[in-house]
């Protein structure tokens, strides 16, 4: 018996961006604010050796696809290239925090379900 399965998921908003209001500017705020969609192929095979003995093999994520099942906007002083950025943040221009200096950088960090945290 052979079994081939496909698990697919569309992109989703990350935690902290549930209202999709996050806007990356490339300097202070990085990342898209969503996790990308993905599709993963799984394979299984079984063979009856005898009436009471079965040989089985299963391969999850057959093509070793990296994917994200969740994400979160997170504070970090690092750029997309991994360099340290200690520039001061500009004041918020609008909203309830208008005029307040932002103290932390927001960046998308997502956990990969196949390889641990990236």
């Amino acid at each position: 018996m052979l079994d081939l399965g496909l698990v697919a998921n569309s992109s989703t908003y990350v935690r902290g961006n549930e209202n999709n209001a996050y806007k990356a500017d490339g300097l202070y705020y990085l990342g898209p604010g969503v996790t990308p969609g993905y599709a993963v192929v799984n394979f299984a095979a079984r063979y009856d050796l005898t009436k009471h003995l079965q040989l089985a093999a299963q391969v999850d994520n057959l093509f070793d696809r990296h994917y994200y099942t969740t994400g979160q906007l997170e504070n970090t002083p690092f750029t997309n290239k991994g360099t340290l950025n200690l520039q001061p943040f500009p004041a918020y221009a609008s909203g309830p925090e208008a005029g307040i200096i932002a103290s932390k950088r927001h960046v998308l960090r997502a956990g990969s379900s196949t390889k641990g945290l990236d």
Side-chain angles (χ1 to χ4, degrees), residues 18-50:
E18 291 87 352
N19 64 357
N20 194 25
Y22 171 78
K23 302 291 183 233
D25 66 7
L27 179 62
Y28 295 101
Y29 304 101
L30 310 173
V34 297
T35 59
Y38 64 90
V40 176
V41 177
N42 301 317
F43 174 77
R46 292 186 299 278
Y47 181 75
D48 292 329
L49 295 172
T50 68

Side-chain angles (χ1 to χ4, degrees), residues 10-112:
S10 66
S11 64
T12 58
Y13 298 123
V14 298
R15 186 169 190 216
N17 189 33
E18 291 87 352
N19 64 357
N20 194 25
Y22 171 78
K23 302 291 183 233
D25 66 7
L27 179 62
Y28 295 101
Y29 304 101
L30 310 173
V34 297
T35 59
Y38 64 90
V40 176
V41 177
N42 301 317
F43 174 77
R46 292 186 299 278
Y47 181 75
D48 292 329
L49 295 172
T50 68
K51 186 177 178 180
H52 300 287
L53 185 61
Q54 186 179 73
L55 181 64
Q58 180 170 335
V59 179
D60 291 331
N61 197 2
L62 185 63
F63 300 111
D64 197 29
R65 172 96 160 90
H66 290 253
Y67 60 94
Y68 302 100
T69 58
T70 188
Q72 174 175 324
L73 291 178
E74 186 176 279
N75 302 321
T76 180
F78 296 99
T79 67
N80 275 339
K81 295 179 181 178
T83 58
L84 189 61
N85 182 9
L86 297 176
Q87 297 177 7
F89 281 76
Y92 288 105
S94 63
E97 296 89 12
I100 298 172
I101 301 296
S103 62
K104 297 179 180 177
R105 169 191 294 274
H106 295 283
V107 64
L108 170 69
R109 298 227 359 130
S112 169

